[in-house]
Amino acid sequence: MRPASRLEEGVLFQQRYRIEKLIGVGGMGYVYLASDSRLMGKFWAIKESIPIHYNREHLLLEAKWLTELRHPNLPLIVDFYPPYHDEHAYMVMEYIEGETVQERISREPISFKESIEICLQLCDALIYLHSHQPSIIYRDMKPSNVMLTRTQQVKLIDFGIAREHKADVSSDTVKLGTLGFAAPEQYEDVQSDARTDLYGVGALMAYILTDGEWQGIATFRSSMLRSDIPNGVAQILSKLLAKKPEDRYQDASQLKADLMAYVDPMSNLLGQGYDARGQSVPTGGLNKGIIIACMSCSEGMGCTHAAIMIANALSRIYRGRVAFVDYSPIVNSVVEQMSLEIDGEDNDYQVEQLLRYQGVEYRHASNLNRQYNGHFMPYLMQTFDYIVLDLGAIQGNGLLDEFMRANYSLLIGSAAMWRQQEWTNAIERLDSRSFKQWIGGVPHADDRELRSCPARLHSRLVVSIPTCPNPFQHHDRVEVWMDHWFNHSAKRKRRFKLNKWLG
């Protein structure tokens, strides 16, 4: 019998989160929708867990993972209250408005094109998890654990039975999984690995492409698939659902490469989630704000200059609400220097003050952290159309997570031959995090310099940042550059297409 919940509608949890309603019940607890009393209009999901003796440690590990992990297809955790004397634990997480694959199938079929997009995004999530050191094996891929948001983004939820892969261990400590969707080795005396999760993807695909008829109990047959499914997909499914791990795809990248054969290069799919090379494009989730992060390979590369130029161009060209966030030390911050220039040298600069100039609101990260207890990004994403982050130099920078979570991640470096090692060092840091979704930017570079840039072999694209002596002033070349960046129409709609720097 499940223990009773300590939460109920109307309760103010931890003097901040107002419980609105119960939205889910699971084997180990409850999930509530809660409104934020500090960030008006913001909602969170609060997961209440009542861990029994053997999964208390795993609950703490799940919270640790979700706090560290940063990926568009994984939920964001913003707060955690571990189990103490009452044995109840609470995790405050991103509220994902949408429906699970199971709920969607019960309402209507999922088209073949959309099913491919779902699986491609799952591949991206697994590539990220399996590249973690040590690898994280999800182990519970099933229709009720895959959320579909209103912006066609896939979210992999519930890490309750995920585990770290241990090279020196031959079997899993606890045999867990969902009947029909769990790989055979999850019930045997062997250790699960990346191929275990790929079996789960195959089971989920089979479920979707049979409109929920196949649920893993019977042996899968290609004749079960809908009539609109290409023959080659049956071969992919058979390989994914092989009983022996060695007969399956060996990693998610291999599966993704085969699935890309079924993506129409001219379809809307490329604008929703993937570019022509199969790279995932985060769509920003439910929050309206689009984040553009600027970081440089070293000091003096013009990171702040480029970030200000981008922020002003966004405000001037696309006419949205724009925030510029400065992560530099307060004493050297562009916000302080601008305050002195605009308000006069007699002004006693206070980090709490708001600075607006030419349609852009300039804020300092330290002030925002203090004001919103370290969780200011949800507020910005609810309030602004575009948020430009000036993260500074990558070397010695602890802000890689912010760089990786942005919708658009621009790494700025020099075209000079004697500064190529700076690119190499920065690329190594990004590769160590298995992050490939970034764009290289080289100030004032010509085509020859762009072709020889080391970033060309590692990033999605390398672009030349135009010469702009004053980043606050209007320059036609910046406008052309921004239109080229965002593949914007000549009419300049208020929102640009999320083709993520396809150029």
Side-chain angles (χ1 to χ4, degrees), residues 292 306 308-322 358-360 385-386 466 468 471-497:
I292 301 171
I308 292 175
M309 183 179 70
I310 291 169
N312 277 268
L314 288 170
S315 175
R316 184 175 57 251
I317 301 171
Y318 304 116
R319 304 187 185 280
R321 294 198 63 191
V322 181
Q358 295 186 352
V360 178
D385 297 296
Y386 313 107
C468 178
F472 298 100
Q473 290 183 354
H474 169 73
H475 293 274
D476 289 339
R477 54 183 171 274
V478 176
E479 186 171 327
V480 172
W481 182 60
M482 295 292 287
D483 274 346
H484 175 70
W485 243 3
F486 300 130
N487 196 22
H488 205 274
S489 67
K491 294 181 180 179
R492 298 196 189 95
K493 300 176 183 177
R494 287 179 179 266
R495 302 283 288 182
F496 57 72
K497 298 177 183 178

Side-chain angles (χ1 to χ4, degrees), residues 427-452:
I427 289 168
E428 287 177 352
R429 290 200 63 182
L430 294 172
D431 283 350
S432 71
R433 301 289 296 274
S434 301
F435 183 63
K436 305 291 185 182
Q437 314 301 318
W438 56 278
I439 302 300
V442 185
H444 332 305
D446 56 28
D447 289 343
R448 179 187 59 81
E449 289 170 325
L450 292 180
R451 287 194 297 270
S452 62

Side-chain angles (χ1 to χ4, degrees), residues 13 76 166 198 280 297 302 335 357 360 413 432:
F13 176 67
L76 173 68
K166 300 177 181 177
L198 293 176
S280 64
C297 293
V335 176
Y357 184 61
V360 178
S432 71

Side-chain angles (χ1 to χ4, degrees), residues 209 225-230:
L209 299 179
L225 296 173
R226 299 193 314 244
S227 59
D228 65 319
I229 308 304

